Amino acid sequence: MKKYKLEDSCLFKITTKRKLCEILLISHDQLKLLQTNNDLFRSQTISDKKGKKRDCDMPKLPLLQKVHKRVHKLLSSIIVPDYIFSVKGKNAKLNAKYHQENCNKTIITMDIKGFFPSITSSKVYNLFHQVFQCNKDIAFILTHLLTHNNCVPTGCHHSSILSYFACKDIFDNINKKAISNNCKFSLYVDDITISGNKSNIVKTYVSKVMSTNKLSLSEEKTKIYKPSYPRKKITGVILYVNGKIKPQNKTYKKIHELKTLDRDDKQSAQLQGLKLEVKAIKKLNLCSSFLLFTAPSHN
């Protein structure tokens, strides 16, 4: 996928409904249908690849789902900083690997509590009106199509990337703070990871900036791993003090459990997904070992 600067995005400076329709690949009548409909979402419980259930707000109309996919694609085509890992081409495993060089330093993981519900309609409106510089009417329409119950819905195609852009200035400032303290910062949806000898300084800053912007951190999910701690959990992956990355023990236990069952199609798919996850992590370790082995000497 070709990447663009924000100001070169199709979503930048939309001033007419006609242009909006062209960009969203829908007709004027279809836009009008969505604009005048105040019952666009339905609640639904879905299971992720690991079988974990969660409540989501899904679009009722295939047309709205099409719009969400389109907005997701357009936002995903914008160049983003290296610190974000919940974008196409990256994942939770690469997020953990990003901190590999700091495996024997302090690592702090934090979770933004209720991230999507915290991204209010006004934040989305300001994103399109002030950052993307769309006119007020267009920003209002996009906000209507992309939010539900005055916030970003959970579980939609666009939810993660839209929430990121709505808070991009916050995360950019955290990244600058981390760099200034010789630390690394990364973001995977609502999971924050900081690594480095001065991680606690950055953690204090994160807490302050979150509070200032009416976001909150989950205290029970905040973990501080001291340098000597042998196993550091980062977005579901274990980073060892020697730099090796491995799946959690519960991943292997779940694989063993599924192997002993008379599996249905759903369980077979889950088993296959877990096996692929383990294989991908092993491949990352092989790549890391190869790079270390072939690195040129500076002596």
Side-chain angles (χ1 to χ4, degrees), residues 147-162:
T147 62
H148 176 57
N149 287 338
N150 196 39
C151 64
V152 171
T154 299
C156 290
H157 286 88
H158 66 287
S159 300
S160 178
I161 192 71
L162 178 63

Side-chain angles (χ1 to χ4, degrees), residues 175-269:
N175 190 50
K176 289 176 184 176
K177 186 70 174 179
I179 291 171
S180 69
N181 283 278
N182 200 28
C183 292
K184 298 188 82 171
F185 157 74
S186 70
L187 177 73
Y188 183 78
V189 189
D190 55 1
D191 290 320
I192 290 173
T193 305
I194 305 161
S195 64
N197 290 327
K198 296 182 179 179
S199 293
N200 277 298
I201 294 174
V202 184
K203 175 183 177 293
T204 300
Y205 177 80
V206 171
S207 298
K208 182 179 178 180
V209 76
M210 288 288 157
S211 177
T212 301
N213 289 279
K214 298 182 180 179
L215 296 169
S216 58
L217 297 168
S218 174
E219 290 184 17
E220 60 270 22
K221 290 185 178 181
T222 297
K223 304 293 181 184
I224 301 175
Y225 300 100
K226 294 181 179 180
S228 60
Y229 197 84
R231 303 169 73 252
K232 302 173 175 75
K233 181 181 173 184
I234 302 174
T235 51
V237 181
I238 304 301
L239 175 61
Y240 284 80
V241 73
N242 63 0
K244 290 288 185 182
I245 301 170
K246 293 185 179 181
Q248 298 181 78
N249 287 335
K250 68 179 183 180
T251 300
Y252 290 110
K253 288 179 181 178
K254 188 64 179 178
I255 289 173
H256 177 73
E257 177 189 323
L258 288 169
K259 280 183 175 180
T260 61
L261 297 177
D262 183 14
R263 298 181 297 278
D264 57 23
D265 290 344
K266 187 176 180 180
Q267 290 169 328
S268 295

Side-chain angles (χ1 to χ4, degrees), residues 102-123:
N102 288 337
C103 59
N104 57 355
K105 297 177 182 179
T106 300
I107 294 180
I108 301 174
T109 60
M110 294 176 280
D111 179 273
I112 304 173
K113 192 174 182 180
F115 186 39
F116 295 158
S118 299
I119 310 303
T120 61
S121 296
S122 62
K123 286 182 180 179

Side-chain angles (χ1 to χ4, degrees), residues 113-144:
K113 192 174 182 180
F115 186 39
F116 295 158
S118 299
I119 310 303
T120 61
S121 296
S122 62
K123 286 182 180 179
V124 174
Y125 174 85
N126 289 337
L127 170 67
F128 287 112
H129 182 48
Q130 296 177 5
V131 180
F132 282 89
Q133 297 181 30
C134 298
N135 71 21
K136 292 181 178 180
D137 289 344
I138 300 303
F140 180 82
I141 292 170
L142 285 168
T143 301
H144 174 70

